[in-house]
Every structure is written in structure tokens, then in C-alpha cells.
DNA sequence: ACCCAGTCTGAAACTTGTTCTAGATTAGCG
DNA sequence: CGCTAATCTAGAACAAGTTTCAGACTGGGT
């Protein structure tokens, strides 16, 4: 039908930053792969996503799967990107209702958390991949990180651009978010505990708000 | 020479909480294994710690290695426990010099961070194992977590027992510590950035100090 | 219509974590 | 000392991620 050209040679992944011209069939393959991955992950988490199964399940040869995603970690991080994008869309449509930035961020993260609770195995696969990723995946992980940052900044509902202090706070919130998820996924923290941790770290935002009580004495 | 008894059947690991009566030779084997693991990790990080190599390098059969540590993750988490214990000892001898609790904690974590910078590969192996660990390792990971908490509380130099708010802050600090380490290890954050993140999150401690400026308005 | 470069497929091979087995050792005990 | 259960060893076997390769397929350029 269409053009099956030379694209997608080095890294077929980025899709956002540099959507190398993929033909329709290639785009379709990529999507089949990501969908199959999510499907398998929903069933049994990280371990259930087996490269041979993903390949078979998306009607693609194993070698092709590896051409699109150079490792299982790459594949799962790309899946996370995919899911985050959907989440970001959803959140844009229904922004947080709270007034204060800190509360808005906490509310948003709790929504995201609830989404993960709905598919804990999928969350497991994605989060484990994200934190296990080594340097060879840093570009992709960075994309995910930027997406997360964007979601949090969105939630804050700032008027102007964020201050450096605010960006620092957001970084720490992200750290806490990832790590808290991990403790929950590995059964070492309850849902309630994660909620508390999120609310605790969100107080950092208050410290950076120029209008409200910024009373550090450093 | 000594007694090689039936101990160490189920989990030969705990060593702290329930040091199942190991014979001297068993204790020696365990130590050889942990030392060999650290040696290999120092050279090449997570990937360089290969179970066959660890076994050979510590003069133990592969099956025996697996009897002592049921998986590579268990082994590396135990190694982390081991290293943390040493660190805790060192820190007790030279407590932080700062006055304010927040600064003391930041100083202590930066010391720990400097220790990791000295052996980044070892840090990589341990931290990756820690965050990749699944439920089957939660007991051991929990031990590590409690050790970390103890180190931070020590650093705060509190008079009485910590308040719930302080414990929450410590949890978030731990989250940030782990996650920041990961971003550094995977080359996505500079040393300076990690320092900033640590200092940022340590401000949470100020929020919990009953004497100093606790001015949240929530 | 033909050719070339780049893709995709199917299958085998290789690596490393993990499990299993049979036999040698060791240790607690009468 | 000799018995028995637990432990240790050596090595094969298995599982899943990753690599490799020969051959079929695709599509644009001539």
C-alpha cells in the first residue's frame, strides 16, 4: 500500500522529540507492539512482558521488535511515555479543583495514583523499567521525566513561568512520586502512606510561593 | 573445625534481625560471598556482578550461593545492608557539625553521596538492586530502609523521640535520596543537581521543627 | 520492468540468572 | 566410632533477554 522506506534505522522510538518519518505500516507496527506490551503488562507486570511474546502477540519478528525498541527496558519506558501522554490529555480536560498550588499538585498526583491502582501490574512494569534503566535509556527516561514535570507544572496553575525554587520543588516532588510508587508496588507502603508522602512533599510548594508564607530562614 | 549444623535453611540472610546460628565456616562463606560481590560490583556495577563469578570468586558452589542468597537482588541488597552498616559506624564517630537539623541531615547525606562517588559502580549495583527488588525481597529492603531512617534521625540530633510530622519528612527525604541517586547514576543529573535536590527536600525538616518558623497555613 | 538499499521474517545461537540432581562432606548424637 | 540429616560441590539443564544471519519482501529510482 504505502511507502516502506529507510526510516527508523537507528532509534525508531522518540515519537515525540524526533518522530523520524515512519511509514504508515511502520507506525502501525509500533502501535501494535506498544498495545501488546501494555496488554501483557496489565496481566502480569514486568515479568509477564516477555520479548518473544510481545513479538508474537504483535505479529512482528523478534528481530523487528528489537529494531524498534533496542531492549525490554526501552520498550517499557516507551510504553510509559505512551500512557503518560494519555493521562496528560485526560488531566488537561479535567484540571484539579483545589485552590492552592500545593493542593492542586497533590490532587493531581493522587488521581494519577488512582489510575495506577486500577492497573497495578502495568504500573509495576513501567515503574520498574523506569528506575532500572541505565545510561543507554537516559534520553527516553528524560522524555518521561519532562512529561511528568509538565503535568505537575500544569497542575500548579501558575500565572507566569516557574521560578528556580519552584522547579527545584517540582524535582523533589517527582523524586518522591517515583520512590513512593516503588515502595507501594513492592508492598512496603500502603496506599494511605503514599498519600501522606505526597501531601508531605507538596508542602514544599508553599515554601516557594512568593505571596504565601515563605519563611525559611536560611 | 567447628560445627556445620542445620541452620541457615530457609533464609541465611537477615544477619541483623535474626542471625540464625551460623557456624564459623558458614559465617566465613557468607563474608567471602559479600566481599566478592562488593569487589565485582566496584569493578563494573550491576552487570559485572554475575552469579557464576561471585560463586567462583568466593570459592563456593553456585547452588550454595543460591542457598545463602536466593537471588542476585537479595545478594546485592544484603551487600547494601553491609555497606550501610559500615557507613553508619563511620558517621557515628564523626557526627555532622552543623547546628540546624535540616543542615545536619543535608550534610550527612552529602557525605554518604561522596562515599558513593568514590565507588560509583558499587553504588550503581546496590541502588539498582534496591529499587528493582520486588515483593520477595521486601523484608530485606525494609531492613535497609530502617537503617537509612536511623542514619537520618541520628543526623537530626533530636532531643526526644521524633514526631509523626518529622517521620513523614524523613520518609520523603529518603524517597528523594534514592531517586536522586538513580538520576545521578543513570547520568541524568549532575552532582550539583543532586546536592540541590537534597538541600531542597531537607527544608521540609524546618517545617516540622516546633520551635523554628513553622508557618504553614493549611 | 529491473535493480538496489533498506526492512522484515524465521530460526538458531549465545548469555546470564535460576533450578535441579547425584554424589561427596560435615556435623550433631548415641 | 558409626549413623543420619543437613550441607556443599560439580555440573547439567532450563528460561528469558539479546544477537546474528540468510533469505524473502518492499518501494523508490532508472
Amino acid at each position: 500500500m504505502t511507502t516502506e522506506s529507510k526510516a527508523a534505522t537507528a532509534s525508531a522510538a522518540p515519537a515525540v522529540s524526533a518522530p523520524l518519518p515512519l511509514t504508515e505500516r511502520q507506525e502501525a507496527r509500533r502501535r501494535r507492539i506498544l498495545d501488546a506490551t501494555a496488554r501483557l503488562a496489565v496481566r502480569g507486570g514486568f515479568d509477564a512482558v516477555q520479548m518473544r511474546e510481545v513479538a508474537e502477540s504483535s505479529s512482528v519478528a523478534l528481530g523487528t521488535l528489537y529494531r524498534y525498541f533496542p531492549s525490554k527496558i526501552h520498550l517499557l519506558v516507551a510504553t510509559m511515555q505512551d500512557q503518560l501522554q494519555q493521562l496528560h490529555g485526560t488531566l488537561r480536560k479535567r484540571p484539579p479543583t483545589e485552590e492552592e498550588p500545593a493542593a492542586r499538585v497533590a490532587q493531581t498526583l493522587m488521581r494519577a495514583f488512582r489510575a495506577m491502582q486500577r492497573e497495578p501490574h502495568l504500573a509495576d512494569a513501567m515503574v520498574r523499567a523506569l528506575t532500572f534503566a541505565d545510561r543507554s535509556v537516559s534520553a527516553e527516561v528524560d522524555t518521561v521525566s519532562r512529561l511528568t514535570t509538565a503535568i505537575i507544572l500544569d497542575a500548579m496553575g501558575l500565572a507566569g513561568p516557574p521560578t528556580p525554587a519552584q522547579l527545584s520543588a517540582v524535582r523533589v516532588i517527582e523524586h518522591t512520586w517515583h520512590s513512593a510508587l516503588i515502595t507501594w508496588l513492592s508492598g512496603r507502603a500502603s496506599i494511605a502512606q503514599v498519600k501522606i508522602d505526597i501531601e508531605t512533599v507538596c508542602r514544599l510548594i508553599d515554601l516557594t510561593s512568593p505571596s504565601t508564607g515563605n519563611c525559611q530562614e536560611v
Side-chain angles (χ1 to χ4, degrees), chain A:
Chain A
M1 317 244 159
T2 28
T3 318
E4 191 99 339
S5 75
K6 75 195 76 168
T9 316
S11 69
V16 180
S17 42
L20 296 195
L22 295 193
T23 65
E24 281 182 42
R25 306 175 84 191
Q26 289 176 322
E27 204 57 74
R29 274 193 202 102
R30 196 183 132 83
R31 183 106 307 277
R32 282 207 308 280
I33 292 174
L34 288 176
D35 290 348
T37 301
R39 206 174 333 122
L40 287 171
V42 163
R43 293 233 271 97
F46 188 89
D47 295 327
V49 178
Q50 303 194 349
M51 300 305 269
R52 288 173 174 84
E53 280 223 43
V54 172
E56 186 173 0
S57 179
S58 49
S59 307
V60 139
L62 191 55
T64 305
L65 172 54
Y66 273 96
R67 171 191 283 278
Y68 279 70
F69 303 96
S71 79
K72 175 169 173 172
I73 300 293
H74 282 84
L75 173 57
L76 285 171
V77 170
T79 301
M80 171 132 219
Q81 245 178 260
D82 205 47
Q83 303 284 318
L84 260 192
Q85 245 137 25
Q86 288 179 225
L87 179 67
H88 198 177
T90 307
L91 289 174
R92 267 184 195 291
K93 272 181 263 172
R94 291 197 284 114
T97 56
E98 296 282 348
E99 273 299 318
E100 290 303 311
R104 293 170 63 85
V105 171
Q107 190 187 11
T108 300
L109 291 182
M110 282 309 293
R111 269 194 205 164
F113 185 35
R114 240 166 273 126
M116 310 217 125
Q117 283 166 248
R118 251 170 266 131
E119 298 297 355
H121 286 311
L122 176 59
D124 170 79
M126 298 189 305
V127 175
R128 296 264 291 287
L130 204 65
T131 63
F132 192 63
D134 65 0
R135 298 182 120 81
S136 71
V137 206
S138 58
E140 286 80 358
V141 174
D142 230 57
T143 300
V144 169
S145 179
R146 269 195 298 278
L147 247 172
T148 310
T149 304
I151 290 177
I152 297 177
L153 286 175
D154 261 28
M156 288 174 69
L158 300 174
T163 67
Q166 285 172 327
L167 288 176
S168 284
V170 170
R171 283 180 63 86
V172 170
I173 289 173
E174 252 184 86
H175 287 318
T176 301
W177 165 244
H178 282 144
S179 179
L181 271 186
I182 287 181
T183 60
W184 170 65
L185 288 169
S186 61
R188 303 197 319 281
S190 63
I191 293 176
Q193 190 60 263
V194 171
K195 186 159 188 277
I196 292 176
D197 290 352
I198 289 177
E199 285 164 356
T200 300
V201 76
C202 282
R203 295 217 188 130
L204 273 176
I205 292 180
D206 294 331
L207 286 184
T208 69
S209 151
S211 60
T212 337
N214 178 349
C215 51
Q216 330 129 31
E217 26 159 319
V218 189

